[in-house]
Amino acid sequence: MTTSSAASPTPGRRSRLLHRNLREDPPFAVGGHGVWLVDAHGREVLDGSGGAAVSCLGHQHPRVLEALASQAKRLAYAHTSFFTTEVAEALADDLVGHEPGGLAGAYLVCGGSEAVETALKIARQYFLEIGQPQRTRIIARRQSYHGNTLGALAAGRHDGRREAFAPLLSNAFSHVSPAYAYREQRASESEKDFVARLAAELEAEFARLGPDTVAAFIAEPVVGGTSGCVPAPEGYFPAVRAVCERHGALFILDEVMCGMGRTGTLHAWEREGVVPDIQAIAKGLGGGYAPIGATLVSGKVVQAMRDGSGILRHGHTYMAHPLGCAAALAVQQVIREENLLERVRGLGQLLERRLVERFGNHHHVGDVRGRGLFYGIEIVADRASKAPFDPALKMNARIKRAALERGLACYPGGGTIDGFKGDHVLLAPPYICTANEIEMIVERLGEAVDAAVKDIAH
Ligand SMILES: Cc1ncc(COP(=O)(O)O)c(C=O)c1O
């Protein structure tokens, strides 16, 4: 029978809240400070992944709390079909006032899925505005996640998450191979060959669909939750961007998880030698202090809509919500003023070094990868053959549990290889963490992986 866990302030009460796991309620989080979360027993848990790469400033940052309180006292809500607000204008200026990579407009929403939906709809609208209504197709990649609403779920491709809803998903989307070197690069291939093969596959997909029917290609610069922090090989993004340009399709980057400083630059694309036509951001934008996401749009696309219908055919009740905007503005100011991107790069090097020392020769870790404070380890049954554990063993869930028992919250996932097989653990510590806390994260994760492996051996 489902009852609240012992950690509940009211033990024995059946929760009315529909949790992700309907049989077992999660423990209560009752407080937080810095990189620590506090449960109902007063136990402190080291937040090694900021939830799902969200809490970039950790918990209860005074500057952000102050910004939220002062905005709430001034104006908590005004509907965007009647009014704009100072705080929303200020956030848009902050994000695209300097036109980074030609991005000149910001559409403010409540999270990552909404940001991706907006990106897809703007891409479609752009082609209607410029007289190319036949462009109705979107190409994405396997082993990607773009959100859980139906459009974003259709764009992503993690078959385990999609399976139940497949009949509801649009067939406007098709998928090419991911830039996932550990699993997809052939032994006979150099990195350059691998990139050339992936670009050729994208080219072939354009040809198969009819190049002038494709509206956009969408990808995560560093793949997050599906495969665990997978950066693309050198030259991949310029190569796929060139394919899009050749065929007049838009290039959309989903930086919901890897963006806003997570990989050591504000935008992950800054390291790739490309700029997107449209970009989705969320998690690190507001750092979890309020639900907020944004779709950043290039000047070219904004101008086409302005010169065309002059209307953006989209909208949500809570878009550009003043509290979300206030949180995001404060988070972004803190990142700049406290020089946190430099900190992410420095601590990222330490995190990588420690992970390689701890897991580089581990029999059950096949790969350590990532960038900045965004690192993943891929769990395998056998390092030499790269064979995964039997999915029925739920290795990722075992590691999550073992880590929590040791006072570490990390973000393990399953279906790493094909949506069903494979396990990984994702780490995304807050940018404010210390070197000592990085050491603790790796130490506790090491113990958790060893304990989980030992557990199944019995
Ligand atoms: C790359 C990426 N895109 C989109 C989303 C969806 O964001 P949200 O859960 O805020 O709707 C996520 C969430 O994990 C993500 O990682």
Side-chain angles (χ1 to χ4, degrees):
M1 275 279 117
T2 308
T3 53
S4 292
S5 80
S8 158
T10 50
R13 183 180 77 92
R14 186 189 303 243
S15 176
R16 300 265 176 212
L17 182 60
L18 299 178
H19 295 292
R20 287 167 186 252
N21 184 338
L22 293 170
R23 297 216 178 104
E24 191 185 318
D25 297 346
F28 276 77
V30 298
H33 56 93
V35 301
W36 298 91
L37 281 161
V38 185
D39 77 9
H41 300 297
R43 206 172 69 106
E44 307 226 326
V45 176
L46 180 51
D47 192 357
S49 61
V54 175
S55 303
C56 59
L57 296 190
H59 303 277
Q60 306 305 105
H61 194 293
R63 276 276 301 277
V64 190
L65 298 185
E66 167 55 31
L68 272 167
S70 102
Q71 181 60 44
K73 277 186 213 147
R74 221 170 316 133
L75 176 70
Y77 179 73
H79 196 280
T80 50
S81 69
F82 302 95
F83 297 106
T84 186
T85 59
E86 272 177 30
V87 70
E89 297 291 338
L91 179 61
D93 282 342
D94 190 272
L95 293 173
V96 293
H98 55 304
E99 302 202 4
L103 296 166
Y107 193 86
L108 303 173
V109 292
C110 292
S113 301
E114 282 186 12
V116 168
E117 296 283 342
T118 304
L120 299 171
K121 288 178 79 175
I122 286 180
R124 169 67 184 149
Q125 185 180 337
Y126 169 73
F127 286 109
L128 291 175
E129 303 284 6
I130 65 166
Q132 297 186 30
Q134 81 286 358
R135 288 198 187 259
T136 56
R137 308 288 316 218
I138 308 280
I139 304 177
R141 306 186 300 177
R142 288 188 282 107
Q143 292 313 101
S144 60
Y145 183 64
H146 296 298
N148 249 339
T149 50
L150 291 176
L153 191 64
R157 180 82 188 267
H158 177 291
D159 286 345
R161 294 182 195 172
R162 259 170 146 252
E163 200 177 31
F165 306 102
L168 306 182
L169 302 181
S170 162
N171 58 15
F173 299 85
S174 60
H175 299 87
V176 292
S177 300
Y180 177 12
Y182 177 65
R183 292 283 171 190
E184 300 276 333
Q185 186 176 347
R186 296 173 188 151
S188 59
E189 270 177 338
S190 67
E191 187 176 67
K192 223 168 142 198
D193 296 337
F194 180 42
V195 167
R197 177 162 62 82
L198 293 174
E201 185 187 338
L202 181 61
E203 181 73 45
E205 185 60 7
F206 269 86
R208 185 183 75 82
L209 296 169
D212 71 341
T213 69
V214 180
F217 170 68
I218 180 168
E220 295 161 81
V222 181
V223 177
T226 11
S227 302
C229 305
V230 182
E234 190 76 32
Y236 170 80
F237 277 105
V240 290
R241 162 107 222 186
V243 174
C244 295
E245 269 174 29
R246 197 156 44 247
H247 298 300
L250 294 178
F251 180 63
I252 304 177
L253 289 179
D254 178 350
E255 296 211 1
V256 165
M257 199 179 239
C258 65
M260 303 319 283
R262 177 53 58 198
T263 63
T265 51
L266 188 65
H267 302 303
W269 51 256
E270 291 171 45
R271 288 275 293 270
E272 303 293 347
V274 292
V275 296
D277 294 303
I278 307 178
Q279 178 183 354
I281 55 175
K283 301 176 188 273
L285 173 60
Y289 286 88
I292 180 137
T295 309
L296 309 182
V297 187
S298 69
K300 169 181 95 170
V301 173
V302 172
Q303 201 55 46
M305 294 190 293
R306 253 194 201 123
D307 293 346
S309 65
I311 285 164
L312 221 160
R313 299 196 198 188
H314 190 46
H316 293 286
T317 299
Y318 295 120
M319 61 190 273
H321 194 282
L323 296 182
C325 294
L329 198 53
V331 167
Q332 297 314 306
Q333 282 162 352
V334 170
I335 288 175
R336 269 196 304 275
E337 286 164 25
E338 296 185 7
N339 217 2
L340 292 182
L341 296 184
E342 202 178 306
R343 193 181 173 86
V344 170
R345 290 193 288 270
L347 286 173
Q349 284 173 3
L350 173 66
L351 178 61
E352 180 183 34
R353 209 162 54 239
R354 288 289 177 265
L355 286 172
V356 169
E357 280 167 14
R358 182 64 175 82
F359 297 111
N361 290 309
H362 196 289
H363 184 60
H364 295 293
V365 175
D367 196 24
V368 176
R369 64 222 174 191
R371 186 181 291 164
L373 283 179
F374 196 46
Y375 266 83
I377 58 172
E378 184 159 337
I379 308 295
V380 288
D382 176 56
R383 186 181 169 84
S385 67
K386 301 187 182 177
F389 279 102
D390 178 351
L393 290 171
K394 295 193 175 7
M395 199 59 193
N396 60 86
R398 286 172 191 269
I399 294 172
K400 185 175 179 184
R401 211 165 32 241
L404 259 184
E405 282 165 12
R406 287 161 180 78
L408 173 70
C410 56
Y411 196 54
T416 312
I417 302 169
D418 60 1
F420 299 102
K421 292 198 294 277
D423 301 272
H424 65 265
V425 180
L426 185 155
L427 294 174
Y431 308 167
I432 52 146
C433 73
T434 62
N436 188 37
E437 285 155 354
I438 294 281
E439 308 271 358
M440 285 169 75
I441 289 171
V442 176
E443 192 185 311
R444 291 181 185 189
L445 179 60
E447 286 170 12
V449 170
D450 289 345
V453 169
K454 206 164 147 205
D455 196 34
I456 57 160
H458 288 127

